[in-house]
Amino acid sequence: MEYCVFTEPQQGFSYDDQLAFARLAEELGFTGFFRSDHYLRMGDGDPLPGPTDAWTTLAGLARETSRIRLGTLVSSVTYRVPGVLAVQVAQVDAMSGGRVELGLGTGWFEREHHAYGIPFPEKRFGLLEEQLEILTGLWQTPVGDTFSFEGAHHRLDESPALPKPVQSRVPIIVGGGGPRRTPAIAARFASEFNIGFVPDEVVAEKFATVRAAAEAIDRDPATLKLSVALPTLLGRTADERERRAAAIGTDAAAFDNGANITGDVSVVAERVERLAALGATRVYFQLMDMRDLEHLALLGEALPQLPR
């Protein structure tokens, strides 16, 4: 099992906040630091300091950390054309010494697209498939050869397909609850399928669906890592949990919705053991208040108790 932290910097956190959080996560022994890729705060609250670009941030963290894996959960196909994204990811992979992972999805937050002038087409699954085909094609083209592609959305003409990532295959994460196209795309392109923010019975259903999608194209389902992302709110006491809930604009009772992890440190192991029994091999703990490093440290206390 692998254990990662998952953050939402668009909610009001600077690069320095993210650096302190990632460094502590590395020190505590977490596998990875992953962040959302958004340009607009969700919900009410102080809009400052404004958004940070995900791949610019990860480039900085690549030079200021040494072990922890770095990635997005997830970047939207609407933000960057695939040729540029391929260069960005390959460069950050080199800057990190081969620690990058790319989560890619269709995008959903229409308001931020309007706010920053980003096109938001109604249908985006075709974009996702083409971008994944282009990214994997560019990275896997042998040095000295070129890569060309012509699809409904993108055209590449004899690209030199450079630079190459350090990793022979950058891990690609595809996730979501779609019943048909999402698992089919994950089975075809992804090294990892992720489902988030749902109770265990839904996790089991989605894992079964993506395994079946892999079998349908003669892929061994065991080659597809299965992961779960879960909002997490811990505290040694009820008062401590209530304080942390208030800091992220909710209350402890509302947070405890049957899908999230909430309680003291002991509840983490209980939930992870159930997810492992369903086939999960990676868990992303979503922590919303990046300045609350004591919360991260408390979660770190659970790591030695978790299955490996």
Side-chain angles (χ1 to χ4, degrees), residues 39-40 78-79 108-121:
Y39 292 109
L40 196 67
T78 56
Y79 295 157
W108 62 271
F109 193 10
E110 186 172 3
R111 177 71 191 98
E112 74 181 339
H113 289 74
H114 296 325
Y116 283 92
I118 304 167
F120 189 73

Side-chain angles (χ1 to χ4, degrees), residues 82-195:
V84 171
L85 181 59
V87 171
Q88 289 176 309
V89 174
Q91 184 176 5
V92 178
D93 197 47
M95 294 169 72
S96 68
R99 293 184 283 128
V100 156
E101 305 190 15
L102 170 64
L104 194 65
T106 58
W108 62 271
F109 193 10
E110 186 172 3
R111 177 71 191 98
E112 74 181 339
H113 289 74
H114 296 325
Y116 283 92
I118 304 167
F120 189 73
E122 181 179 353
K123 296 181 179 180
R124 301 180 299 284
F125 272 106
L127 279 170
L128 178 59
E129 288 182 285
E130 284 194 15
Q131 290 211 11
L132 287 167
E133 190 166 350
I134 291 166
L135 290 165
T136 54
L138 287 168
W139 291 334
Q140 293 167 19
T141 296
V143 174
D145 290 352
T146 61
F147 176 80
S148 297
F149 177 88
E150 185 153 3
H153 306 281
H154 300 289
R155 181 177 185 273
L156 282 73
D157 182 17
E158 296 187 356
S159 170
L162 296 171
K164 301 300 185 192
V166 170
Q167 299 175 91
S168 59
R169 287 185 180 267
V170 172
I172 292 176
I173 306 161
V174 171
R180 184 178 60 86
R181 294 195 72 177
T182 299
I185 291 170
R188 182 180 173 194
F189 294 105
S191 54
E192 175 181 334
F193 172 78
N194 176 263
I195 184 70

Side-chain angles (χ1 to χ4, degrees), residues 59-76:
L61 296 179
R63 307 303 291 177
E64 299 194 86
T65 58
S66 60
R67 180 199 58 80
I68 199 164
R69 297 193 67 79
L70 303 167
T72 52
L73 202 68
V74 297
S75 292
S76 171

